[in-house]
């Protein structure tokens, strides 16, 4: 990531009024995106953190927190901003936020066909623990397996 881009990034916890922008990112980034986010904003154990460039939401991460563990439910960066280090910056920021909340482990599932996401998670210290068969539905009616990953803090 260039120093200029890094200086433009702003991170904050998202609020319910950010939901339409999040849904737009999901629709642009995924073939089978989530269709609503209200459950995240209405559940105290869930949070969304966003990354902004010049006050425009460019990506977000959704997490759930259970005592001293967390699960990454979704991480999405708008396709116009992918492969620029923004996802890594958002993930790194969120890991630090979770560390500050005394989280000891973070879990996630990632589509085994999503090689860039797997690399991102592995470069951040996540390790594959196992697999879930037929976890991600596809538009053609088939399913992709998921790799289950964990990061110990």
């Amino acid at each position: 990531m260039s120093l200029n881009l890094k200086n433009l990034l702003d991170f904050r916890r998202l609020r319910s009024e950010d939901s339409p922008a999040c849904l737009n990112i999901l629709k642009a980034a995924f073939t089978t995106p989530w269709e609503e986010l209200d459950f995240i904003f209405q559940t105290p154990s869930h949070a969304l953190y966003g990354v902004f460039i010049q006050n425009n939401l460019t990506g977000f991460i959704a997490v759930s927190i259970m005592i001293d563990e967390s699960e990454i439910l979704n991480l999405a960066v708008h396709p116009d901003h992918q492969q620029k280090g923004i996802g890594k910056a958002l993930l790194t920021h969120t890991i630090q936020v979770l560390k500050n909340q005394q989280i000891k482990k973070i879990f996630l599932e990632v589509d085994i066909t999503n090689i860039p996401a797997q690399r991102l998670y592995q470069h951040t210290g996540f390790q594959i623990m196992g697999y879930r068969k037929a976890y991600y539905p596809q538009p053609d009616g088939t399913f992709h397996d998921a790799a289950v990953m964990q990061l110990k803090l």
Side-chain angles (χ1 to χ4, degrees), residues 29-100:
F30 294 108
T31 56
T32 54
W34 287 358
E35 295 183 12
E36 59 100 356
L37 295 171
D38 291 342
F39 72 96
I40 299 242
F41 293 110
Q42 295 170 359
T43 308
S45 63
H46 291 73
L48 280 123
Y49 299 98
V51 59
F52 294 78
I53 298 177
Q54 298 176 334
N55 294 320
N56 292 312
L57 183 66
T58 58
F60 73 92
I61 188 168
V63 298
S64 67
I65 298 169
M66 299 126 327
I67 306 171
D68 63 350
E69 295 181 351
S70 181
E71 181 177 2
I72 294 174
L73 304 172
N74 209 326
L75 188 156
V77 174
H78 193 282
D80 293 345
H81 299 284
Q82 291 178 358
Q83 303 300 315
K84 297 178 183 176
I86 294 170
K88 183 176 182 180
L90 177 59
L91 180 59
T92 302
H93 172 80
T94 304
I95 289 169
Q96 188 58 54
V97 168
L98 294 172
K99 272 186 186 179
N100 293 344

Side-chain angles (χ1 to χ4, degrees), residues 93-148:
H93 172 80
T94 304
I95 289 169
Q96 188 58 54
V97 168
L98 294 172
K99 272 186 186 179
N100 293 344
Q101 295 178 18
Q102 309 305 311
I103 298 300
K104 302 208 179 339
K105 294 180 187 175
I106 304 172
F107 298 92
L108 62 87
E109 291 92 11
V110 61
D111 190 320
I112 61 166
T113 66
N114 190 342
I115 302 304
Q118 287 184 59
R119 281 194 198 116
L120 168 65
Y121 295 128
Q122 288 171 336
H123 285 132
T124 323
F126 282 85
Q127 297 180 337
I128 295 175
M129 299 173 40
Y131 297 90
R132 297 190 196 280
K133 296 290 183 193
Y135 189 77
Y136 288 105
Q138 301 304 302
D140 65 2
T142 63
F143 291 84
H144 290 175
D145 294 346
V148 179

